Structures are given as structure tokens and as C-alpha cells.
Amino acid sequence: VQFAKARGATVIATASARDLDWVRRLGADQVIDHRAQRFEQLTGEIDLVLDLIAGETQARSWQVLKEKGGTIVSTLADPPPVLYGQGDPASLARPRRISVVGTRRPSVLGRVLAGTIARQLVQLDVVVLSGLAFGIDGAAQAATVAAGGVTVGVIGSGHERPGPRAHAGLVRDILARGAVVGELAPHARPTRGTFPRRNRLLSALSQAVIVVEAPTRSGAVNTAHHALEQGRALFVVPGRPGDRLTAGCL
């Protein structure tokens, strides 16, 4: 670089020794082809996102809603600039919002209890939030819909696949009065890391979190930890000693 500058050249890019070695091994033509293909791929991805937001799906880019004292997700260290959502954005502006979360493999008692809690929350005009997963999440949100309440699904993927395929009907029912939201672009596929990020968003969008049946290592326990860090109220259905399904609730 110094040699080039000394001779009046304009330096527009630099490369590390590792990058130069990569070029030498592959050949300049292959490297150029690789970069061109990657640029074309990224361009296509950007165009797809813009098309989706423009209306090819029902997902829309929502500005993170304001509420007194800041934004709804102001407790997050890395709040999303927008939420991608389907349904009614006003669902997240309602004054009472509580998450009901738990294991994907609940007992029959756990499913019944999740539904009972959800129906009681509906009677109190509370918006029930959950993650649209199998188990406790689905039971709570299905019970909310059946009781005529409003529920919001907070997803860890794009809106092309907002949850398990078996929940496609539940998603349609939710969108009739509530919403499905997430911070990933509509076409994004879920990865192992997207669900912990979803959990911290789920708790941030809520004023309180209720945990119904959760093993020690679970997304529900992760959501509970986020709730405590964010200053949200946390309620846990007491676990049953010796039962691994509720070990995270003890």
C-alpha cells in the first residue's frame, strides 16, 4: 500500500495475507467468479425482501410501536428497528399484554392449564402472547382464539413459515383479530440462534410472562430469564418434584 501511494496511485481496497494466499491458490478468475455469484445472490435476496414487503405476502414492516416512556422494546440492549408483522398492529399497543409459554411436549394437565389461564386472561381483556410452537404455546393461543380473545404470535422465523405447518389454521384464526410478528425478514429461515432472540423479544413485548411446564433447558426458561433481566413480572406454575417436564419451574 505504501509503495502504491508513493507512486501516486489511489488505493481503493486492501487485502490481508490470508486473502492473497486464497487468490493465489484458487486463481484470480475463480475468485472473481465467486465474488460475482455472491453479489448476484445478495442482490436477489434484497430484491426478494423488497418484493415481499411491497405486497407479495401479507407481511409488512412495522415501525416499533411507541408507548409512554419509550418504545415497547426499549428494555432490549439491541432492539429491532422494525418488526415484520401480519394482522393488526394495534394488538401490540393494547395496555395489557401477557405471554404464556412452556414446553413443546406438555402433559395433558399442562395443556388444560395453559388453556384455562388463557381463557381467564381473555376475560380480563389481556392480549395473550406466545411463540406459536407446539405444546403449551399452541394450547394457550388456540384457547385464546376459541374464547374470542386477541393473541399475538411472536416468531423466530420469517413469515413464509411462521410456525409448524400443523398450525396453519391457528395462524389464520390468530390473524382474524390479532397478529403474528417477528424481527426477521419475511423470507428468512429459522436457525438455532433465532429462537433465543425471539424469546427475548417475546418477553420484551409483554408486561408479564407466565411459565406453564418447562424442563430445565428450554425456550420457556430462557424467556423467563429475559423477563427478569428486562424487569417484567414473572409467574411460574409450581413444578412437580421428580417430573422432568416441570423441573424448570421448581
Side-chain angles (χ1 to χ4, degrees):
V1 173
Q2 296 301 324
F3 179 82
K5 287 182 177 180
R7 283 155 180 76
T10 300
V11 178
I12 60 174
T14 61
S16 66
R18 182 178 179 181
D19 290 337
L20 291 174
D21 182 61
W22 183 55
V23 172
R24 280 193 294 270
R25 285 187 288 108
L26 289 181
D29 290 341
Q30 291 189 40
V31 171
I32 292 172
D33 288 343
H34 173 78
R35 295 300 189 192
Q37 291 174 9
R38 180 58 181 151
F39 178 78
E40 184 177 352
Q41 178 184 356
L42 289 172
T43 301
E45 291 175 356
I46 292 171
D47 289 342
L48 176 60
V49 172
L50 293 176
D51 288 344
L52 289 169
I53 294 174
E56 290 192 4
T57 71
Q58 293 181 332
R60 293 291 184 271
S61 175
W62 294 350
Q63 295 296 322
V64 174
L65 301 174
K66 298 282 186 179
E67 66 178 5
K68 187 176 181 179
T71 66
I72 291 178
V73 292
S74 59
T75 53
L76 293 177
D78 56 343
V82 296
L83 294 179
Y84 295 93
Q86 298 183 68
D88 185 7
S91 303
L92 292 177
R94 295 180 62 161
R96 298 175 180 175
R97 304 180 305 276
I98 295 179
S99 290
V100 180
V101 298
T103 178
R104 286 177 168 81
R105 300 178 179 86
S107 66
V108 173
L109 177 60
R111 288 181 180 276
V112 171
L113 186 56
T116 300
I117 291 172
R119 286 188 291 272
Q120 291 177 347
L121 292 175
V122 170
Q123 292 177 5
L124 297 172
D125 198 28
V126 172
V127 175
V128 176
L129 290 85
S130 201
L132 260 179
F134 286 127
I136 296 298
D137 291 20
Q141 295 194 276
T144 301
V145 169
V150 175
T151 180
V152 175
V154 183
I155 58 176
S157 63
H159 284 266
E160 285 185 346
R161 295 185 179 180
R165 290 183 179 180
H167 280 176
L170 176 59
V171 170
R172 288 192 295 270
D173 292 340
I174 288 173
L175 293 177
R177 298 193 63 189
V180 176
V181 300
E183 62 184 305
L184 298 181
H187 75 295
R189 300 297 175 87
T191 66
R192 180 175 295 183
T194 59
F195 291 103
R197 289 185 60 80
R198 182 277 307 275
N199 295 339
R200 112 279 188 219
L201 180 61
L202 175 58
S203 56
L205 291 171
S206 309
Q207 294 161 322
V209 172
I210 300 174
V211 179
V212 182
E213 287 194 344
T216 52
R217 298 183 64 180
S218 65
V221 171
N222 180 251
T223 304
H225 288 161
H226 284 303
L228 292 176
E229 292 172 356
Q230 296 161 0
R232 299 321 196 215
L234 176 63
F235 302 92
V236 180
V237 175
R240 299 178 292 274
D243 187 345
R244 64 178 184 82
L245 285 180
T246 63
C249 298
L250 294 174

